[in-house]
């Protein structure tokens, strides 16, 4: 997939921005706060229906404006063109997503149609942050690849919320939640088991791709690895039925503790995915450089995974990542992404791209200043 055209109206500090993207590398240059990341955020809206970092659509509408409109001309690998539009109206707090002028039934149905891989400073949390940051990473990856997984995930979250509410209400009222909890426990096990099976399968396949990407990036002999550590204690080869019954047993075992805390203590919402390099836990032992390289490897692996699963080449969004890498790894990364697919890159520094852009004749350079974007062909690059 490629973004051939992009239009932002009343979006963040972009009153009206139109641009046509290059099929290969698009670099957005400008000082801090000029509106570069906002452009990647717009692409994220068009592919994922939402921002990759902000949870609230309202803050994305330009200050003083009551709506924003984003439009993308997207071309699939097979050459089909789609006009995708996201509109947000602040008064009604309504967001609409239209494909070729037809509104989609649910936002969730869009996820995976226009796959995207995003590498951003916020994304760094996946290696340094809490287990929930790692769950979020694998959830986004698997959800883009599997509509069924996303449905199960949304359903699991709904059930979990209800079950927690019953536990908490009972705790506050000093009641026994009694039979009311039963159907929710069963539902939790049903949907949770699907998540566990899929996550286990994903991590196994994905670990191989991460190791491959890591070695290509560094050229070194470090071996990264991923391991799925489910909250429900299961045997390695356990099938769905065995996982479900284990899950149910462990819920029962924890029930008195759940009543005490007023929350659900076992299940995929407490899973962990362990990252290691040469067998050592990344969070405890890795250098900053290793964290960054691991993150990039995760993203490159995600790209390959989605390309295969969605049958569509993802668009790559790289926000401010080059300023943090040394020149050697920057060049390796630039060369690598240039060969993968269409890429949108933001940076405050032209330096990193000088040589690389000249050798890539299809690359485009854009300058962003106070929400206004100007373009200059990469060939005209002036030192
Ligand atoms: N809703 C909004 N309305 C107007 N301006 C906004 C809004 N949200 C953010 N901005 C402005 O956008 C700029 C940040 O844009 P961003 O794309 O993050 O910059 P950068 O070029 O550093 O990536 C800031 O100047 C900020 O004030
Ligand atoms: Mg930025």
């Amino acid at each position: 997939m490629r973004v051939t055209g992009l239009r932002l109206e009343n979006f963040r500090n972009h009153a009206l921005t139109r641009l046509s993207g290059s099929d290969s590398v698009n670099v957005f240059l400008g000082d801090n706060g000029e509106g570069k990341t906002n452009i990647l955020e717009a692409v994220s809206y068009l592919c994922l229906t939402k921002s990759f970092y902000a949870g609230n659509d309202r803050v994305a509408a330009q200050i003083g404006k009551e709506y924003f409109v984003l439009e993308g001309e997207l071309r699939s690998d097979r050459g089909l063109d789609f006009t995708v539009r996201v509109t947000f109206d602040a008064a009604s707090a309504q967001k609409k997503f239209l494909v070729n002028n037809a509104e989609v039934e649910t936002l969730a149905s869009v996820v995976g149609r226009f796959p995207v891989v995003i590498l951003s400073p916020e994304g760094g949390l996946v290696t340094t942050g809490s287990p929930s940051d790692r769950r979020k990473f694998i959830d986004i990856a698997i959800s883009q690849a599997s509509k069924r997984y996303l449905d199960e995930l949304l359903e699991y979250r709904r059930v979990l919320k209800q079950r927690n509410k019953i536990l908490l209400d009972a705790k506050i009222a000093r009641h026994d939640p009694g039979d009311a909890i039963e159907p929710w426990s069963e539902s939790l096990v049903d949907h949770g088991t699907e998540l566990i099976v899929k996550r286990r399968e994903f991590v196994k396949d994905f670990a191989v791709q991460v190791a491959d990407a890591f070695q290509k990036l560094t050229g070194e002999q470090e071996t990264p690895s991923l391991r799925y550590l489910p909250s429900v204690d299961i045997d390695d080869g356990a099938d769905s039925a065995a996982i479900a019954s284990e899950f149910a047993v462990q819920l029962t075992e924890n029930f008195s503790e759940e009543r005490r805390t007023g929350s659900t203590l076992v299940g995929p919402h407490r899973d962990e995915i362990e990252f290691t390099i040469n067998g050592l836990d990344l969070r405890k032992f890795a250098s900053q450089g290793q964290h960054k390289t691991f993150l990039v490897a995760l993203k490159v692996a995600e790209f390959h995974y989605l390309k295969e699963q969605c049958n569509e080449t993802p668009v790559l969004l790289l926000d401010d990542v080059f300023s943090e890498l040394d020149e050697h790894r920057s060049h390796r990364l630039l060369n690598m992404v240039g060969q993968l697919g269409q890429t949108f890159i933001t940076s405050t520094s032209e330096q990193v791209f000088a040589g690389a852009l000249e050798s890539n004749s299809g690359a485009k350079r854009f300058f962003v200043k106070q929400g206004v974007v100007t373009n200059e062909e990469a060939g005209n690059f002036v030192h």
Side-chain angles (χ1 to χ4, degrees):
M1 184 198 111
R2 281 160 292 158
V3 179
T4 56
L6 200 58
R7 183 177 176 281
L8 288 63
E9 181 182 339
N10 290 354
F11 186 77
R12 300 279 188 189
N13 67 343
H14 293 259
L16 184 62
T17 287
R18 292 163 191 269
L19 58 96
S20 55
S22 150
D23 285 354
S24 63
V25 177
N26 298 278
V27 180
F28 295 89
L29 296 165
D31 292 335
N32 281 319
E34 300 288 1
K36 303 181 299 297
T37 299
N38 297 342
I39 296 166
L40 303 197
E41 191 185 20
V43 178
S44 161
Y45 264 99
L46 293 166
C47 294
L48 294 173
T49 77
K50 58 185 183 183
S51 169
F52 64 87
Y53 68 92
N56 178 345
D57 300 317
R58 182 70 188 86
V59 297
Q62 194 163 50
I63 294 167
K65 296 288 165 40
E66 287 303 303
Y67 71 93
F68 70 74
V69 180
L70 301 171
E71 203 169 278
E73 298 296 331
L74 310 186
R75 182 167 298 159
S76 75
D77 290 359
R78 274 164 230 79
L80 293 174
D81 286 314
F82 298 93
T83 301
V84 172
R85 189 183 307 136
V86 180
T87 65
F88 175 77
D89 173 58
S92 59
Q94 263 213 346
K95 179 162 61 179
K96 287 187 181 159
F97 197 101
L98 297 93
V99 180
N100 295 338
N101 281 322
E103 190 177 348
V104 298
E105 267 182 39
T106 63
L107 293 176
S109 70
V110 176
V111 178
R113 255 185 100 172
F114 310 112
V116 63
V117 172
I118 301 160
L119 183 51
S120 69
E122 294 82 14
L125 282 175
V126 69
T127 70
T128 57
S130 64
S132 72
D133 295 305
R134 281 177 287 288
R135 288 193 298 271
K136 193 169 154 195
F137 169 76
I138 67 165
D139 283 344
I140 291 180
I142 310 174
S143 293
Q144 289 195 72
S146 163
K147 171 87 177 62
R148 161 123 184 248
Y149 182 84
L150 178 59
D151 289 342
E152 291 292 343
L153 184 66
L154 295 175
E155 210 34 36
Y156 181 83
R157 285 189 186 147
R158 188 183 69 82
V159 171
L160 178 66
K161 208 167 150 188
Q162 282 298 324
R163 193 173 183 276
N164 281 341
K165 183 171 176 350
I166 293 171
L167 287 167
L168 191 61
D169 286 351
K171 177 187 153 149
I172 290 167
R174 295 168 189 275
H175 275 159
D176 185 338
D179 294 344
I181 200 87
E182 272 307 310
W184 297 105
S185 299
E186 275 173 30
S187 248
L188 195 79
V189 168
D190 281 354
H191 299 295
T193 298
E194 296 276 342
L195 298 184
I196 295 168
V197 169
K198 195 79 189 173
R199 282 179 179 178
R200 181 177 62 180
E201 179 194 311
F202 170 81
V203 171
K204 189 161 154 274
D205 297 346
F206 198 64
V208 179
Q209 301 198 337
V210 173
D212 189 46
F214 195 92
Q215 249 123 42
K216 282 201 182 106
L217 268 170
T218 61
E220 290 157 18
Q221 288 312 306
E222 290 176 318
T223 309
S225 175
L226 281 76
R227 199 153 61 105
Y228 179 43
L229 305 174
S231 151
V232 178
D233 196 8
I234 53 170
D235 292 334
D236 271 353
D239 62 8
S240 289
I243 293 171
S245 82
E246 225 6 90
F247 194 171
V249 166
Q250 288 172 36
L251 270 182
T252 310
E253 283 170 1
N254 279 279
F255 191 53
S256 58
E257 187 63 9
E258 289 191 330
R259 284 182 58 190
R260 202 180 61 75
T261 57
S263 67
T264 301
L265 297 175
V266 204
H269 62 292
R270 298 196 136 207
D271 283 353
E272 167 67 301
I273 301 96
E274 184 188 62
F275 298 162
T276 59
I277 292 181
N278 293 342
L280 296 175
D281 188 342
L282 199 65
R283 281 177 78 194
K284 295 192 190 116
F285 300 105
S287 69
Q288 267 205 342
Q290 285 175 319
H291 273 281
K292 278 170 198 158
T293 309
F294 202 100
L295 174 65
V296 174
L298 280 175
K299 291 293 164 175
V300 173
E302 185 185 3
F303 176 92
H304 290 299
Y305 173 79
L306 289 181
K307 181 170 178 173
E308 193 181 300
Q309 297 285 321
C310 303
N311 246 317
E312 187 70 45
T313 309
V315 169
L316 274 160
L317 309 181
L318 308 183
D319 192 20
D320 247 341
V321 289
F322 290 91
S323 45
E324 298 181 6
L325 292 172
D326 64 46
E327 203 161 314
H328 171 70
R329 287 191 179 183
S330 288
H331 274 116
R332 282 187 101 107
L333 179 57
L334 258 182
N335 284 335
M336 197 186 230
V337 296
Q339 290 160 20
L340 291 177
Q342 189 189 34
T343 309
F344 290 81
I345 299 171
T346 69
S347 180
T348 48
S349 153
E350 313 194 22
Q351 221 53 48
V352 184
F353 304 97
L357 278 186
E358 281 176 337
S359 62
N360 182 340
S361 57
K364 261 188 174 178
R365 222 161 40 124
F366 298 87
F367 298 95
V368 186
K369 197 158 182 60
Q370 296 187 5
V372 176
V373 180
T374 51
N375 162 241
E376 181 193 79
E377 298 301 323
N380 302 333
F381 193 82
V382 184
H383 289 281

